[in-house]
Amino acid sequence: MSEPRIAPRPVEDWDAEVRDALSVLSAKPSTGGAAQPAAPAPAAPARPAAPAPAAPAQPRKVPNIIGIYAWHPELSRSWMVFSNHLRDSTLEDRERELLTLRISWLRRGEYEWAQHTGMGRAAGLSSTEIEAIKVGSSVSTWGPTDAALLRAVEEISEDRYVSDATWAELAAHFDRKQMMDLVFLVGAYDMHCMVFNTFGLELEPGMEGF
């Protein structure tokens, strides 16, 4: 793809409906899960200060992913309520990032990979572990639970199903809500990769892709 099929919507084109929809993403999580990038509003010009007026403040850079969401406020408002749950679900931050990075790698979701490598490090994943995520559950780096989490992602990616053996192994460590959050998380980022690869979402300057 030589250029994006859906380019980010320019901030100056955002109306009140867009800003209201994207404000859902800025909602503070209840237990401090790994946050997605909030949708910053352009800064308003500074009030004139005597004796000379101050220069207008520069708007913050809006991530490309948010700029794409801005084209469809109705969809974005609903999706971001779900995203808020995913970022603050019953799973620990490190577990969420492990799952997210594995499905992003398998589905060639370069934007999600680039975004979540930093979030993974902040959640406690080492650089060695992030490299091992590319190979998967078979790497000796992983303990039994981490290997089972990665294997669940691999099975969902390949068969759209978690095997009985992997499910039983995970169920020995995670409760029902956590198991549900696990499957929904992998499915959501699987969809993210498909959607944004199809739209042609581009990395921002400084993001480290594949």
Side-chain angles (χ1 to χ4, degrees):
M1 191 181 299
S2 59
E3 60 183 29
R5 290 172 174 169
I6 301 180
R9 186 174 183 176
V11 174
E12 57 270 21
D13 187 43
W14 292 10
D15 57 19
E17 183 183 20
V18 172
R19 296 176 189 283
D20 179 67
L22 296 181
S23 70
V24 175
L25 191 57
S26 302
K28 184 178 180 181
S30 59
T31 60
Q36 300 291 329
R47 289 185 177 183
Q58 294 299 312
R60 287 188 290 163
K61 176 67 176 175
V62 174
N64 290 339
I65 191 170
I66 300 300
I68 291 178
Y69 281 133
W71 287 114
H72 199 332
E74 300 92 342
L75 181 152
S76 298
R77 183 181 292 106
S78 299
W79 175 253
M80 287 177 183
V81 171
F82 182 43
S83 292
N84 279 350
H85 172 77
L86 292 180
R87 75 180 186 183
D88 191 40
S89 72
T90 58
L91 298 170
E92 296 293 331
D93 289 357
R94 183 182 177 281
E95 295 158 355
R96 282 196 295 271
E97 296 307 318
L98 191 69
L99 296 165
T100 301
L101 284 168
R102 185 58 178 148
I103 192 61
S104 297
W105 180 262
L106 290 172
R107 291 303 191 196
R108 310 309 295 163
E110 188 171 32
Y111 191 95
E112 296 297 347
W113 175 268
Q115 185 181 76
H116 283 271
T117 48
M119 295 168 69
R121 290 187 180 97
L125 291 172
S126 68
S127 295
T128 299
E129 288 175 324
I130 289 174
E131 284 300 307
I133 287 171
K134 298 176 182 179
V135 181
S137 60
S138 62
V139 179
S140 60
T141 300
W142 308 114
T145 303
D146 284 347
L149 287 168
L150 293 170
R151 191 163 57 253
V153 178
E154 293 156 5
E155 291 172 352
I156 290 170
S157 176
E158 183 174 352
D159 299 326
R160 322 306 290 169
Y161 181 76
V162 177
S163 69
D164 289 345
T166 301
W167 185 270
E169 188 171 356
L170 289 170
H173 296 276
F174 299 102
D175 64 25
R176 185 181 291 110
K177 286 184 178 180
Q178 289 173 313
M179 296 290 283
M180 293 175 69
D181 280 334
L182 185 161
V183 175
F184 272 101
L185 178 75
V186 175
Y189 279 96
D190 187 329
M191 187 183 76
H192 254 187
C193 295
M194 176 273 293
V195 167
F196 292 118
N197 282 344
T198 301
F199 291 169
L201 174 62
E202 294 182 317
L203 300 182
E204 290 129 32
M207 292 182 79
E208 182 179 349
F210 292 146

